[in-house]
Amino acid sequence: MRVLFPASEVEPYSKTGGLADVAASLPLALARRGHEVRVVTPRYRSVALPGAPLPGRRFTLEFPFGPVEVSTVEAHPHERLTQVFLDVPALYDRPALYGERGDYPDNARRFATLAVGALTEAQAAGFDPDVVHAHDWQTGLTPLALRRAFAGVFPRARSVFTIHNLAYQGGFRKDALPELGIPWSDFTPGGVEYWDHLSMLKAGIVFADAVTTVSPTYAREITSPGGGMGLDGVLRAARGGVTGVLNGVDVEAWNPATDVSLPERFSAADVAGRAVCRARLLDEVGLSAPGPGMPLVGLIGRMVAQKGADLAQAALPAFLERGLAVVVLGSGEPAIEQAWRRLEARFPGRCAVRTTFDVGLSHRIEAGADFFLMPSRFEPCGLNQLYSLRYGCVPIVHGVGGLLDTVADVATGEGTGLVFRGATVEAVQGALVRALALFRDRAAYAAVQRRGMGRDVSWDRSALAYERLYEGLGQGPARPAPPVQGSP
Ligand code: ADP
């Protein structure tokens, strides 16, 4: 199959979260399975291409707000995988991907250019896709454009829209519609209208042939009123419902047996190297050794309310006082960063906080910490708990979304970590108490660690699931357009 894959971030070129990992790994896994994949993404300032970039093509997108001149460069990480970078300096050559202090005011134009530019580029390149797989609000207009302007260009193509995080909906004032050339007839409850605004996420959901998200539990959560963030009705009405396909991880980049960012390597068969990683990590971040029988706990992630930092910050002091140590890596909202800094100042030598984006340190935390704490209030899939499983860093997670689908509690007898229910400080503390008990039973801890390290978290399984989904979409004459009147 030929798969066109527009995505607003692709590791290692641009990244704010898990979408970047998916947009790097899934296309490669699909290419290795024999499919032709074309990833299209902006050439942000952060994009550093190895060597001289291969020149691509030039075209003009005629938007009502004005023509956008696009030139492209390409990379070919695999013989069947092409990464295309849309070079529009006025739109993408900026310090951040989506905004610095708040969103960039022209994000509607920036991502309409990506959404439509991906289809135009494919047309210019003679790449006739069987499947167009778009992601999150930034490419939500791609399925819409495929039904409208590109219906005659790619009549066989089917679209898949994947939601990586329902919390980001790409809402814009309705004046954006005429600017972008979206007809008012699509501005309905059954179309792109959401609370009198344009919702690019909703455009993706409503116009795609299939909607997926990144774990089965998150699929259930977002189609229920409690977790649907106002869009559960729209999601329930999506064609074929919402399918949950778990993300995998890049098992080459995240392999403790070969990881060059670690001071010592190890594997499930021999975890001895972890002790060296732990000692060196303590030195690197300036922590004292935890008290006797007490663990080192790691946390990594964007500092936003979703990740439940406030729960961890309230739960940890009672344990830090008893000799537990914690290392935190992440950046984001200043109030959350400051709260971590206060904890660090209160517990010198016990709590270390790094507010940089440091991929090497993230690997060393997974390799050196005894437990990984992930108290997310909601978590579509989550990657860090998967890295934790692979690196023998026993995860302690809130039982929601992908966390529930990937970590089995020790109480099951086949556990790979600790799962707590309820986003409360008491629940986190209860899980930490259980973690301490597990840590003191060395044989039980080692068994949990080994079981986690043995789990298959590779992309192979996920790529196969997407391949089946693509095949199930079929081909043939253009599908009927979705209703433009009435509610979904
Ligand atoms: P989300 O997509 O919600 O941010 P995920 O757990 O799915 O959460 O993915 C986050 C990704 O970003 C992981 O690869 C994680 O290791 C990485 N990451 C987040 N913050 C940092 C940081 N400060 N330094 C290095 N890597 C980070």
Side-chain angles (χ1 to χ4, degrees), residues 244-263:
V245 181
L246 274 173
N247 289 336
V249 304
D250 180 340
V251 291
E252 281 160 32
W254 289 90
N255 181 356
T258 55
D259 191 334
V260 291
S261 47
L262 307 185

Side-chain angles (χ1 to χ4, degrees), residues 15-19 21 165 254 300-302 306-307 329-331 356-359 362 374 379 382-384 387:
K15 175 165 174 171
T16 68
L19 167 60
D21 301 70
N165 193 335
W254 289 90
I300 304 170
R302 291 177 302 123
Q306 174 199 335
K307 301 291 177 185
L329 172 65
S331 59
T356 51
F357 198 92
D358 187 337
V359 174
S362 75
M374 213 157 159
E379 193 59 75
L383 291 170
N384 277 302
Y387 303 146

Side-chain angles (χ1 to χ4, degrees), residues 231-442:
L231 284 171
D232 48 291
V234 176
L235 287 163
R236 280 196 300 276
R239 237 162 266 104
V242 179
T243 307
V245 181
L246 274 173
N247 289 336
V249 304
D250 180 340
V251 291
E252 281 160 32
W254 289 90
N255 181 356
T258 55
D259 191 334
V260 291
S261 47
L262 307 185
E264 187 80 40
R265 277 154 282 282
F266 58 90
S267 66
D270 180 8
V271 291
R274 276 197 117 258
V276 177
C277 293
R278 186 183 197 255
R280 296 279 286 276
L281 174 63
L282 291 169
D283 283 349
E284 179 178 355
V285 298
L287 288 176
S288 320
M294 294 300 268
L296 170 62
V297 175
L299 288 102
I300 304 170
R302 291 177 302 123
M303 290 192 182
V304 294
Q306 174 199 335
K307 301 291 177 185
D310 55 324
L311 299 173
Q313 288 158 358
L316 283 167
F319 295 86
L320 290 163
E321 273 158 13
R322 291 164 54 195
L324 178 140
V326 61
V327 51
V328 181
L329 172 65
S331 59
E333 289 170 19
I336 300 176
E337 290 187 10
Q338 282 154 18
W340 279 120
R341 291 268 174 236
R342 281 197 296 276
L343 206 65
E344 185 180 43
R346 193 174 143 200
F347 293 99
R350 284 275 175 262
C351 174
V353 177
R354 295 289 178 276
T355 54
T356 51
F357 198 92
D358 187 337
V359 174
L361 180 57
S362 75
H363 285 234
R364 290 189 290 280
I365 291 174
E366 296 289 9
D370 304 304
F371 291 97
F372 190 85
L373 178 58
M374 213 157 159
S376 308
R377 288 202 151 71
F378 66 92
E379 193 59 75
C381 176
L383 291 170
N384 277 302
Q385 84 282 10
L386 300 175
Y387 303 146
S388 302
L389 290 171
R390 221 167 136 66
Y391 276 56
C393 185
V394 175
I396 305 171
V397 302
H398 183 204
V400 289
L403 300 176
L404 186 63
D405 293 335
T406 54
V407 181
D409 190 85
V410 290
T412 62
E414 286 300 306
T416 53
L418 295 113
V419 182
F420 60 89
R421 297 297 188 144
T424 64
V425 176
E426 293 69 34
V428 177
Q429 289 185 325
L432 286 168
V433 168
R434 292 201 299 137
L436 294 190
L438 176 67
F439 193 58
R440 286 182 184 141
D441 182 343
R442 298 308 296 170

